[in-house]
Amino acid sequence: MSRSAHPAGPRHADVLPEGHYTAPAADLNVLDAKVWSRTVDRAADGTVSVGGIEVARLAEEFGTPAYFLDEDDFRARCRAWRDAFGSEADVFYAGKAFLSRAVVKWLREEGLNLDVCSAGELTTALAAGMPAERIAYHGNNKSAEEIERAVEAGVGRIVLDSFQEIARVAHTAERLGKRQRVQIRVTVGVEAHTHEFIATAHEDQKFGIALAGGQAAEAVRRALNLDGLELIGIHSHIGSQIFDMAGFEVSARRVVQLLAEVRDEHGVELPEIDLGGGLGIAYTSDDDPREPHEIAKALGEIVTRECESAGLATPRISVEPGRAIVGPTAFTLYRVGTVKPLEGLRTYVSVDGGMSDNIRTALYDAEYTVALVSRRSDAEPMLVRVVGKHCESGDIVVKDAFLPADLAPGDLIAVPATGAYCRSMASNYNHALRPPVVAVKDGEARVIVRRETEEDLLRLDVG
Ligand code: LLP
């Protein structure tokens, strides 16, 4: 679908994009454990709860729309990643997926490290007591101030993204009398999509330094010669929402080749490689993500094999999952406002949020699922499109789904797997007030990011 133009007004039937929905589930009351967080449950009377609290009660207390984050699930996923990779590897949670002080505290307690990519994320991490040495600092255009703050704070690593940055970080560290641990982010010529990957020689994108043309080798040469830098390894991130491990295989092979070249040229074996994040999650029942232990095993085997054939000692591996940890832990709860059947097409269900709390459908054509959660219904399934309340026809939350035909205004519906890149990419479009994030655990619910207020809007607007 072209992104260069979009209909400004209502879409007509002949321009409606093809639906790629499959048949409705046999029973719409069943919540597929694949897409719902661990403690979500529908009781015999039809009510849905999370962390032991009924959603109707949550809606009453915290309002809608709101994100409800299952703390037990979040912690369990952290532990699963931690245990899968063991003491021989490091797991950095990618804060861009969703970051708050409570999340930092959970990460700290569960033994994970943290990847940040802005001064704001660094501030949040430090404010919540993440030890600086457990923080990795990313970004393709870190400002002089950001570099200075990161070096001063003593972050465990800065991931260098350009030749200019190599010089800037080295200079800053020297000026501050420090030696900064760094990795160099390389682009390995792998483009990974959900179910496939493309290996290319060159990459046309803004991140990293290309392996192609000896660029990355030159970056290593420079970094090794600068007193302010301690080059600890090579970093590669190949994409997001990936299921196919083949892309990681090519990436690891190419990174290991570079390590071998570095050894041959400089007599130095760099001790670490970071394979980035990007592991996929289930947004719908059709998705089959891998478990952390399978991913750890596959990555470990790939790196070990490549290193053996290059005659290198296996470096310490790190990974940076964001979505795979927080994505499945939350759902967005909405209240249905209007239900508008369009004869022969589908029924438009308008909710009290929209593209301001989930831009992913509009931006990436992302697929989600949705369920009626305030009650049970045995009505026939109807094909719906869940839309928001914004002044834009592309304001779609769930493009194609089935909800019971007796759906009515006032019902609560929930969209699962919205823990990653929803609140963190939320906007104030149409002066919407960004929803709160409420952590739920053992029968207790606690706001960890509060709802924005009109007062917040006016405070920023200085008149
Ligand atoms: N490491 C680096 C260097 C990254 O750039 C990213 C994501 C991650 C780790 C974490 O990736 P994850 O495991 O969460 O897929 N807004 C998009 C995703 C953008 C990802 C950007 N980088 C989305 O909503 O799908």
Side-chain angles (χ1 to χ4, degrees):
M1 191 161 92
S2 165
R3 296 268 162 230
S4 56
H6 65 96
R11 280 183 158 151
H12 297 285
D14 58 349
V15 296
L16 275 171
E18 275 294 297
H20 30 96
Y21 50 88
T22 44
D27 180 356
L28 293 183
N29 296 295
V30 174
L31 301 175
D32 185 350
K34 235 202 249 181
V35 293
W36 294 89
S37 73
R38 219 154 288 211
T39 72
V40 169
D41 185 43
R42 191 190 289 274
D45 68 359
T47 56
V48 171
S49 62
V50 58
I53 310 179
E54 273 182 30
V55 293
R57 230 186 84 200
L58 292 171
E60 192 135 310
E61 188 169 347
F62 301 101
T64 53
Y67 308 97
F68 291 96
L69 200 165
D70 188 336
E71 181 180 338
D72 277 341
D73 195 14
F74 186 96
R75 287 180 180 270
R77 285 175 197 279
C78 288
R79 283 196 292 276
W81 278 86
R82 183 56 278 162
D83 295 348
F85 280 84
S87 56
E88 300 303 304
D90 299 300
V91 181
F92 286 77
Y93 168 77
K96 67 206 84 185
F98 173 65
L99 196 65
S100 76
R101 285 189 281 184
V103 160
V104 175
K105 177 172 173 280
W106 301 339
L107 294 169
R108 215 166 15 89
E109 291 171 356
E110 302 298 342
L112 264 64
N113 307 300
L114 177 61
D115 142 10
V116 302
C117 66
S118 70
E121 289 184 0
L122 179 65
T123 299
T124 305
L126 294 174
M130 180 58 87
E133 63 272 15
R134 281 167 61 183
I135 298 175
Y137 202 108
H138 272 280
N140 68 299
N141 187 20
K142 307 171 189 78
S143 70
E145 293 74 27
E146 285 178 301
I147 292 171
E148 176 143 355
R149 274 175 64 183
V151 174
E152 218 156 28
V155 298
R157 63 177 68 160
I158 294 180
V159 183
L160 301 172
D161 199 88
S162 66
F163 285 107
Q164 283 149 357
E165 204 172 83
I166 293 173
R168 284 176 195 154
V169 174
H171 178 74
T172 306
E174 279 177 47
R175 186 164 47 76
L176 296 173
K178 296 199 174 200
R179 192 145 185 262
Q180 177 62 49
R181 286 159 63 86
V182 295
Q183 290 189 335
I184 292 175
R185 177 162 174 179
V186 301
T187 45
V188 294
V190 171
E191 215 185 299
H193 304 280
T194 300
H195 291 294
E196 67 197 60
F197 81 99
I198 305 163
T200 58
H202 302 281
E203 277 190 300
D204 191 359
Q205 49 105 341
K206 69 174 183 169
F207 293 108
I209 299 176
L211 280 178
Q215 299 274 301
E218 172 59 20
V220 169
R221 206 169 294 134
R222 291 192 196 178
L224 286 173
N225 283 317
L226 290 163
D227 290 339
L229 304 182
E230 179 189 348
L231 181 61
I232 58 167
I234 302 297
H235 183 286
S236 159
H237 171 79
I238 56 171
S240 221
Q241 183 59 4
I242 306 166
F243 293 140
D244 181 354
M245 296 303 287
F248 288 100
E249 177 137 15
V250 177
S251 159
R253 189 177 314 135
R254 293 184 177 172
V255 168
V256 171
Q257 271 165 15
L258 176 63
L259 295 185
E261 275 172 53
V262 171
R263 175 205 50 202
D264 296 345
E265 188 182 336
H266 308 282
V268 174
E269 285 199 24
L270 297 177
E272 295 191 21
I273 68 174
D274 190 309
L275 293 172
L279 286 315
I281 63 163
Y283 283 102
T284 73
S285 298
D286 295 337
D287 295 326
D288 280 309
R290 295 198 176 202
E291 293 296 323
H293 67 90
E294 296 175 276
I295 294 161
K297 185 164 177 280
L299 292 181
E301 282 171 4
I302 295 166
V303 174
T304 305
R305 192 182 59 230
E306 295 302 322
C307 287
E308 267 169 17
S309 77
L312 288 163
T314 306
R316 190 174 178 84
I317 299 174
S318 50
V319 286
E320 297 170 338
R323 185 192 323 263
I325 291 178
V326 73
T329 69
F331 61 80
T332 314
L333 189 63
Y334 299 103
R335 196 174 289 280
V336 173
T338 64
V339 178
K340 192 186 284 182
L342 298 191
E343 203 51 47
L345 286 170
R346 70 190 81 238
T347 296
Y348 276 74
V349 174
S350 295
V351 295
D352 46 3
M355 65 196 300
S356 53
D357 58 72
N358 186 350
I359 191 65
R360 298 193 67 261
T361 307
L363 198 54
Y364 313 117
D365 240 347
E367 287 184 36
Y368 284 92
T369 178
V370 60
L372 169 63
V373 289
S374 44
R375 63 186 170 90
R376 183 189 166 83
S377 167
D378 292 312
E380 286 296 296
M382 67 172 169
L383 177 63
V384 300
R385 177 159 292 170
V386 178
V387 296
K389 59 182 292 168
H390 295 280
C391 297
E392 185 148 337
S393 55
D395 172 25
I396 297 169
V397 180
V398 186
K399 200 152 98 184
D400 298 299
F402 290 91
L403 283 171
D406 64 352
L407 190 79
D411 278 335
L412 292 170
I413 60 176
V415 175
T418 57
Y421 304 111
C422 286
R423 180 58 179 79
S424 70
M425 293 175 79
S427 77
N428 286 119
Y429 185 39
N430 297 141
H431 283 200
L433 304 170
R434 285 180 295 174
V437 181
V438 180
V440 187
K441 180 178 158 58
D442 298 335
E444 279 181 28
R446 169 170 81 94
V447 174
I448 59 171
V449 178
R450 73 159 166 79
R451 187 184 300 283
E452 251 172 351
T453 62
E454 290 185 349
E455 217 169 73
D456 292 327
L457 291 183
L458 293 177
R459 207 177 299 143
L460 290 175
D461 176 346
V462 294

